[in-house]
C-alpha cells in the first residue's frame, strides 16, 4: 500500500499540445576549442517544442506527477492538417482515415520529443515508460494528444 494515502499520486494524465506535431531533432556535436572538448547542442526548434509540451502539461496539472516507481503507459496521437493544395476527394480520404500521414516527422522522433520533455515533470525519468503507442493521423487542425496512465 502506498505510504502517501492522504496525498495519493495521480494515475492518469491527458493533455493536448497545439500546432503541428514535431519530432526531436538530432543534437549537433562539435569540437569546442575553448573547453578543448566535444560539445552537443540541441537545436533551438526542439528546445522550444519541448518547452511547449512542458507548459501544456503544467498548465493542466501543475506540479502533479507519477510516483518515482510507477510503471507508465504512454499513448501519443499526432494529428496533421491535410495540405491546402489537394482535391476535396483526397482531403476527405485523409480526414476519414483512408489516407494516413506516412511522412516526417517519424513516429519515434515524435515519441522522443514528448517523453524527453516530460522527464522530471510528469515522471522521474522516461525509463518508467514500459509501453508506448504513437499514431499519426489527419484532422482539420494539427495538434498532439498525450495520454499517460499508470499501469497496475
Amino acid at each position: 500500500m502506498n505510504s502517501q494515502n492522504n496525498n495519493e499520486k495521480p494515475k492518469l494524465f491527458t493533455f493536448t499540445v497545439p500546432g503541428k506535431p514535431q519530432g526531436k531533432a538530432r543534437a549537433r556535436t562539435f569540437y569546442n576549442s575553448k573547453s578543448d572538448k566535444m560539445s552537443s547542442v540541441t537545436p533551438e526548434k526542439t528546445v522550444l517544442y519541448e518547452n511547449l509540451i512542458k507548459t501544456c502539461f503544467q498548465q493542466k496539472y501543475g506540479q502533479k506527477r507519477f510516483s518515482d516507481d510507477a510503471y507508465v503507459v504512454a499513448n501519443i496521437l499526432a494529428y496533421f492538417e491535410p495540405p491546402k493544395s489537394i482535391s476535396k476527394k483526397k482531403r476527405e480520404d485523409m480526414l476519414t482515415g483512408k489516407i494516413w500521414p506516412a511522412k516526417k516527422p517519424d513516429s519515434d522522433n515524435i515519441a522522443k520529443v514528448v517523453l524527453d520533455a516530460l522527464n522530471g515533470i510528469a515522471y522521474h525519468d522516461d525509463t518508467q515508460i514500459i509501453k508506448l503507442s504513437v499514431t499519426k493521423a489527419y484532422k482539420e487542425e494539427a495538434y498532439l494528444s498525450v495520454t499517460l496512465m499508470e499501469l497496475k
Side-chain angles (χ1 to χ4, degrees):
M1 188 81 176
N2 192 340
S3 61
Q4 299 177 330
N5 284 358
N6 55 355
N7 190 15
E8 196 65 32
K9 295 281 185 185
K11 305 296 182 214
L12 177 80
F13 293 117
T14 183
F15 67 101
T16 59
V17 180
K20 183 181 175 196
Q22 297 177 34
K24 181 140 187 165
R26 277 195 173 80
R28 304 291 172 235
T29 303
F30 60 94
Y31 176 73
N32 185 335
S33 56
K34 289 180 183 170
S35 67
D36 199 30
K37 294 180 181 171
M38 295 300 286
S39 296
S40 292
V41 177
T42 301
E44 185 180 6
K45 190 176 175 186
T46 296
V47 172
L48 291 173
Y49 195 60
E50 285 181 344
N51 287 338
L52 175 62
I53 293 166
K54 287 177 194 178
T55 299
C56 291
F57 177 87
Q58 290 175 322
Q59 281 177 340
K60 188 164 182 184
Y61 296 107
Q63 299 301 310
K64 292 180 183 170
R65 60 185 253 182
F66 292 112
S67 62
D68 291 357
D69 61 351
Y71 297 119
V72 180
V73 175
N75 184 25
I76 301 167
L77 303 173
Y79 294 113
F80 297 86
E81 284 182 44
K84 304 263 186 263
S85 61
I86 57 166
S87 69
K88 282 188 176 180
K89 169 76 174 112
K90 194 167 184 182
R91 179 181 183 79
E92 184 64 28
D93 287 349
M94 288 175 158
L95 293 173
T96 57
K98 291 180 184 150
I99 298 175
W100 295 83
K103 61 178 194 154
K104 298 249 182 220
D106 299 351
S107 295
D108 60 325
N109 290 330
I110 293 170
K112 188 88 179 125
V113 75
V114 171
L115 300 182
D116 284 356
L118 296 174
N119 265 338
I121 305 291
Y123 38 75
H124 172 66
D125 189 79
D126 58 1
T127 56
Q128 292 177 257
I129 307 295
I130 54 95
K131 187 175 182 183
L132 171 64
S133 166
V134 179
T135 303
K136 299 193 304 187
Y138 286 107
K139 282 246 178 163
E140 289 288 352
E141 232 177 287
Y143 69 96
L144 206 58
S145 173
V146 181
T147 301
L148 303 170
M149 185 176 69
E150 183 171 346
L151 189 67
K152 283 290 173 193

